[in-house]
């Protein structure tokens, strides 16, 4: 049983009595509920709930608790995950040459803003090694070459396993991962795309935005799926622009939005505020 | 017992088991919970919960249900209100001469955006009578004179009672209500102040903003308390401005923000998404 | 010569000395320059300038002034337009059944926010006649039928000419205009599209947005061109949304953004702050 | 005469012919005008103009040009400053213990976003020395003690002079500078205040904001004047908050706004887009 705070995420078809069942169970187990956010997607009849609980009786062990929870979920057809507060996520950051997103995440991490471990920064270039090392994070260079992509992904996978990684953050990582790799990390890779998706998917979104003459540019943080730029959207932000902004200014403005949008998505993931239902991300905020 | 949807709002000191108690009660009564938003203000140990429920057994009557709920709340020291979906709020709009907020609310009401009745528009001037009447709402002119304020407030109070009003909306009503009157309508008067409170409280906020050279102007919707411009804040919005904006432009820009800020506050109130705890408004969104 | 304020808009290939030439000309003619906004699109070498001037000598006549200006522009290859403040634009609003944009523009017009005449509201349905008439604007019903589209457009064109219309505003007008018609009104038709273009072009953008799970919805005001939803963008705005917003909520939220985005575009056009260069709108603000 | 780009800022009482005079002068001197932003504050009759020019004839020397400009300005009572593009500002950053603003500016500088030299970072604590040194910027520790404030300010002044500093940026520098010191650096010290001034001036603005229950928090970048938190405002931004945000969350959210607001103010200063008139900052954007 939980000896500290924990977050329960539940997803299933809606049916009467689910909240009462789960709340009653927690009470029985001696756990106190400190926060509930529950709703139903009426159009699809989908039930979703995030419940924060606090440690209960000290004489019940965690495996007994988990087993009981598992039986409850099975009985009601609920898909659930339980995250204990002391199990800190282990995050790998992948980057290429642009420093702003990497820098931003490492600086937030250092300031205590992100509840996680960051055991490794991985890049297909050496450029950002000093940045990682300034923050005391080991840096791994895995060159990527179209001819040997499979081999690179093998090295990447090994490194992630070796460091016990739970979440990959693509902080302007300019390489496409194979569908097989992505499938193995379903809902555990967050990417930042530098446009307001679905507008300007693909390469050079700032150039596309400039040519179309839009008056706002944006950034989109999303889970990565096999289909490029089409994964479930976690967070989006925009910023004003005008005819005076050339591609250089749009790129500069965009960097600010990219950083905060990516950071917000990562924080929500770490705080167990995200739940993927169908093609959508439920953001419990 | 509820023969349709209902919203329960609960406020009390936090203690273990409250969610389970309430959820269990609803289940026992045959009610289905469709949405829960519950949290604890850790600094003050304050528990707050909004729970949407759907009708349960058809053979239990409402007074029995309410009595049982009342006993439950008493047992746990919970302050609660239960609003049935079919009990539509009855709203009075007070205005003076500026049409934009009145117009906006009446147009939203007509389009079905606001779940309420609007039996009366009241003003200290005749100016906006045609607007009210275009939307088919009776208009009552109650002149206000400093010398006869008490009498005017008496007429106002009578009109509100006569029309069974639950909520007063001050849509740019340029009169101060007496502390006694306000006390009788605690948390049932919403005002729109044309500044980002607490900045620029008092008169002529746009002039104050212009003189201070601020780069954003705002609006604040709040419950009215005896102390002017100091009531609990429900909603705030801002809009960019620049040195090119004189008082006239600030006023024009401000009107857009006033309208949407006031409308949002009124809608949240009508949807039972507001709960006043201490000096703060909990907005369940 | 101008006996009141005027706005000059200039567009041409950049070359040295243009600002000095035009400023010198105005000074010679006895006009005072009260505002200049001039820049160069470096990528295309495009010069653009908005200049506000005030009346000068009372003894020079306007036709002489205009002739001299015309010679200046010809000499330097400048495309220019001069708008005198007392020549108020004449605007026709086209709508179908949704009232919010029509209402908004008429209310702003009545409050003095929009510097124009509105001699006519035109619709393919009778629904909004009372709204137009409340604001004292004549309402013209022109039914549209696929089989007789050409005839309808003929009636529309006649009505616009009869009322001396300068600008058409499509305030949620749910009909497509023919390419021939559009060509005749180049840069003089403003439409509001209920999405953040180029995302979700076409029909049902709120439904598309909901299905894609975006976290922001938007609106785009643009000049109408023969290619649907592809005209030069004037103004864009967005608003936050979440998984809790179904299509109904997105539609409601979207209406607020549509209104303010369209109003801003119309005001910029009336204030002569818009200049179309290539596929882009220069917004002088 | 200018052998590269330059920015002219002009401020004076409005009178007819100023734009023509200056534009004509530039043309005579063989300079091309690439951008003009000029307006009049009608309420105070204040003329303000920013003009970007490009090099003209190669055979005229700069001192002759400056002398002629100076005579022109004198003749028309214009206060002006001319900044040549190749004269990069020299910026000193002052900080205390919080890294986020320092980090942000240094990272933007490294990425080429800020057109300036940063010869020195100065702090009253040793905490941020590694950050400065990672970016290759010398770090100077000047302890501040109430008893020896005058001496500390003397050391500070010497360091600024020694490094030829033009602009001081207080990046969360938690010390008050004396009125005498501030006077000597008029319009050359930019501070970031962590509230939407004038709301919540003084200490602990996030705590104040939390207690007042506001729904937005903000940051204000301003020039420092002798009166605390009352200097001319350059830039302001806000971010949404809710009842769920305690002081910790407000502080975290606020940091994002502080960074971008300060960076924007610094960039505008470096790009010569700021002009102080009276108590207001004209931002040429």
């Amino acid at each position: 049983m939980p000896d500290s705070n924990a977050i329960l995420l539940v997803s299933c078809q809606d049916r009467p009595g689910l909240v009462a069942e789960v709340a009653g169970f927690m009470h029985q187990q001696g756990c106190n509920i400190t926060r509930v956010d529950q709703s139903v997607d009426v159009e699809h009849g989908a039930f979703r709930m995030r419940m924060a609980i606090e440690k209960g009786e000290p004489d019940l062990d965690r495996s007994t608790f988990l087993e009981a929870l598992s039986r409850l979920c099975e009985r009601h057809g609920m898909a659930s995950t339980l995250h204990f507060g002391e199990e800190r996520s282990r995050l790998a950051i992948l980057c290429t040459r642009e420093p702003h997103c990497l820098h931003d995440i490492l600086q937030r991490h250092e300031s205590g803003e992100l509840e996680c471990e960051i055991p490794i920064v991985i890049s297909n270039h050496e450029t950002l090694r000093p940045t990682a090392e300034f923050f005391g994070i080991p840096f791994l260079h895995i060159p990527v070459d179209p001819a040997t992509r499979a081999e690179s992904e093998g090295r990447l996978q090994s490194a992630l396993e070796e460091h016990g990684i739970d979440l990959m953050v693509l902080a302007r990582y300019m390489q496409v991962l194979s569908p097989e790799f992505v499938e193995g990390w379903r809902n555990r890779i967050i990417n930042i795309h530098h446009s307001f998706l679905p507008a300007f998917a693909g390469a050079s979104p700032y150039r596309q935005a400039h040519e179309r003459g839009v008056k706002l540019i944006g950034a989109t943080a999303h889970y990565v799926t096999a289909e490029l730029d089409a994964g479930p959207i976690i967070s989006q932000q925009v910023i004003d622009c005008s005819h005076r902004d050339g591609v250089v200014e749009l790129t500069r403005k965009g960097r600010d939005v990219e950083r905060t949008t990516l950071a917000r998505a990562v924080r929500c993931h770490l705080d167990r505020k995200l739940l993927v239902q169908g093609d959508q991300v439920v953001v419990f905020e």
Side-chain angles (χ1 to χ4, degrees), chain A residues 122 142 150-163 165 168 180-182 184-185 188:
Chain A
I122 300 171
I142 303 182
E151 191 195 317
S152 303
E153 278 193 359
R155 287 190 61 197
L156 175 58
Q157 179 68 33
S158 301
L160 298 170
E161 286 172 10
E162 183 191 333
H163 289 92
I165 298 304
M168 289 170 65
E180 300 71 36
F181 184 94
V182 166
W185 287 86
R188 292 190 300 155

Side-chain angles (χ1 to χ4, degrees), chain A residues 88-92 164-168 185 188 269 272:
Chain A
R88 285 161 67 90
S89 289
R90 295 176 66 79
L91 195 151
I165 298 304
D166 302 303
L167 177 69
M168 289 170 65
W185 287 86
R188 292 190 300 155
H269 181 103
R272 317 302 177 185

Side-chain angles (χ1 to χ4, degrees), chain A residues 57-87:
Chain A
E57 304 304 322
D59 56 346
L60 197 76
D61 75 1
R62 189 180 285 191
S63 63
T64 311
F65 176 83
L66 285 172
E67 212 177 285
L69 176 63
S70 161
R71 280 197 304 275
L72 176 80
C73 290
E74 206 174 320
R75 202 156 60 240
H76 295 286
M78 298 186 286
S80 78
T81 52
L82 186 72
H83 300 269
F84 293 101
E86 75 272 23
E87 292 171 354

Side-chain angles (χ1 to χ4, degrees), chain A residues 24-282:
Chain A
F25 169 84
M26 290 299 172
H27 194 50
Q28 270 172 14
Q29 299 284 334
C31 293
N32 188 32
I33 296 167
T34 56
R35 188 154 159 187
V36 183
D37 187 340
Q38 175 265 329
S39 62
V40 174
D41 173 355
V42 180
E43 295 174 33
H44 305 90
F47 176 95
R48 52 273 185 110
M49 179 167 69
R50 180 181 186 271
M51 185 178 270
I53 55 178
E54 276 181 353
K55 73 167 164 185
E57 304 304 322
D59 56 346
L60 197 76
D61 75 1
R62 189 180 285 191
S63 63
T64 311
F65 176 83
L66 285 172
E67 212 177 285
L69 176 63
S70 161
R71 280 197 304 275
L72 176 80
C73 290
E74 206 174 320
R75 202 156 60 240
H76 295 286
M78 298 186 286
S80 78
T81 52
L82 186 72
H83 300 269
F84 293 101
E86 75 272 23
E87 292 171 354
R88 285 161 67 90
S89 289
R90 295 176 66 79
L91 195 151
I93 308 177
L94 276 77
C95 52
T96 295
R97 278 195 175 111
E98 287 186 70
H100 60 287
C101 286
L102 173 64
H103 223 110
D104 186 68
I105 293 174
L106 294 181
Q107 209 256 306
R108 288 175 194 272
H109 180 247
E110 190 181 62
S111 76
E113 218 177 90
L114 299 175
E115 291 283 337
C116 64
E117 306 296 328
I118 304 184
I120 190 80
V121 170
I122 300 171
S123 178
N124 55 329
H125 284 276
E126 281 285 355
T127 318
L128 298 174
R129 179 183 293 276
T131 300
E133 292 181 353
F134 170 68
F135 287 100
I137 313 286
F139 179 91
L140 178 62
H141 177 211
I142 303 182
V144 176
D145 186 283
T148 59
R149 175 184 302 276
E151 191 195 317
S152 303
E153 278 193 359
R155 287 190 61 197
L156 175 58
Q157 179 68 33
S158 301
L160 298 170
E161 286 172 10
E162 183 191 333
H163 289 92
I165 298 304
D166 302 303
L167 177 69
M168 289 170 65
V169 175
L170 309 189
R172 307 288 286 133
Y173 180 62
M174 309 308 278
Q175 294 293 326
V176 176
L177 298 164
S178 73
E180 300 71 36
F181 184 94
V182 166
E183 188 50 41
W185 287 86
R186 192 187 185 82
N187 298 340
R188 292 190 300 155
I189 312 177
I190 295 177
N191 183 48
I192 182 71
H193 189 273
H194 47 318
S195 88
F196 180 78
L197 290 174
F200 311 128
S204 303
Y206 293 129
R207 181 159 294 281
Q208 290 183 65
H210 180 64
E211 276 160 22
R212 184 64 183 87
V214 291
K215 304 306 183 192
L216 296 169
I217 53 164
T220 303
H222 61 97
Y223 284 120
V224 174
T225 55
E227 188 185 345
L228 206 65
D229 300 336
I233 293 172
I234 302 169
S235 179
Q236 296 188 296
Q237 274 187 303
V238 293
I239 193 169
D240 287 345
C241 61
S242 83
H243 65 278
R244 283 189 287 258
D245 294 312
V247 175
V248 170
E249 286 77 23
L250 294 183
T251 304
R252 175 181 64 64
K253 284 187 169 185
R255 280 197 296 256
D256 279 6
V257 183
E258 292 167 28
R259 298 195 305 183
T260 50
T261 305
L262 179 58
R264 183 165 175 275
V266 171
R267 187 166 46 240
C268 283
H269 181 103
L270 296 177
D271 292 349
R272 317 302 177 185
K273 290 185 170 166
L274 304 180
L275 180 62
V276 180
Q277 275 193 326
D279 296 334
Q280 294 187 17
V281 182
V282 175

